[in-house]
Amino acid sequence: MPIARTKQPKTSGASRVQSTAPVGVDWTFLTNHSHVLVCLAQDPEARLRDVADAVGVTERAVQRIVADLESGGVLTRRRDGRRNQYSLHLDRPLRHPLESHRTLRDLLHGVLGKDFHLSTRTTPTARPRNPVP
């Protein structure tokens, strides 16, 4: 499933995604880290440029977030040719004490709902490579 995004004019280096919030309200319930995780759960082979467009931040911000998530043990990045593939560790507990009784799996299921196939997101799938003659 491709990452859902809306194309908006760029503002200070980051694209703006269309919000359902009332005009003048600029906060969301989830952090950009959560938004990146949702995007990577939907497409483990997503380009960070596409994730940045979907989240509404710069590509560099997404790179920092992915580095944070990797160092926190939430995801693993695997190089596959010229692309990266991301494997989420769904059984990791959420970090804040108020939510630490829940896992990443719970968060993603809550956001993505029944369309999220949890069993397919824990390990990367191998893509066939073309042999070099």
Side-chain angles (χ1 to χ4, degrees):
M1 169 191 298
I3 298 171
R5 63 181 174 274
T6 56
K7 205 69 165 154
Q8 298 291 324
K10 294 209 176 213
T11 307
S12 66
S15 60
R16 290 297 197 194
V17 293
Q18 196 167 8
S19 173
T20 59
V23 175
V25 176
D26 61 353
W27 59 271
T28 64
F29 284 103
L30 299 177
T31 66
N32 287 340
H33 283 65
S34 299
H35 295 147
V36 168
L37 283 168
V38 167
C39 291
L40 294 177
Q42 290 175 314
D43 182 4
E45 297 178 353
R47 295 180 313 162
L48 294 187
R49 177 181 311 155
D50 296 330
V51 173
D53 285 344
V55 174
V57 297
T58 64
E59 187 175 351
R60 183 67 187 121
V62 172
Q63 291 170 352
R64 283 191 300 270
I65 289 170
V66 167
D68 287 347
L69 295 170
E70 190 172 25
S71 69
V74 177
L75 64 78
T76 301
R77 178 179 10 197
R78 183 175 66 88
R79 195 83 172 145
D80 187 12
R82 293 178 53 183
R83 304 283 301 260
N84 285 323
Q85 191 169 50
Y86 302 92
S87 179
L88 304 181
H89 304 291
L90 299 175
D91 293 325
R92 293 289 298 191
L94 300 180
R95 292 173 44 117
H96 194 278
L98 290 175
E99 58 212 23
S100 63
H101 64 288
R102 296 291 183 187
T103 64
L104 178 57
R105 180 186 315 271
D106 296 328
L107 174 70
L108 292 173
H109 183 72
V111 173
L112 297 173
K114 65 181 182 213
D115 294 334
F116 180 59
H117 302 291
L118 300 172
S119 62
T120 63
R121 303 297 181 200
T122 56
T123 57
T125 56
R127 290 190 307 170
R129 291 185 174 220
N130 295 333
V132 178

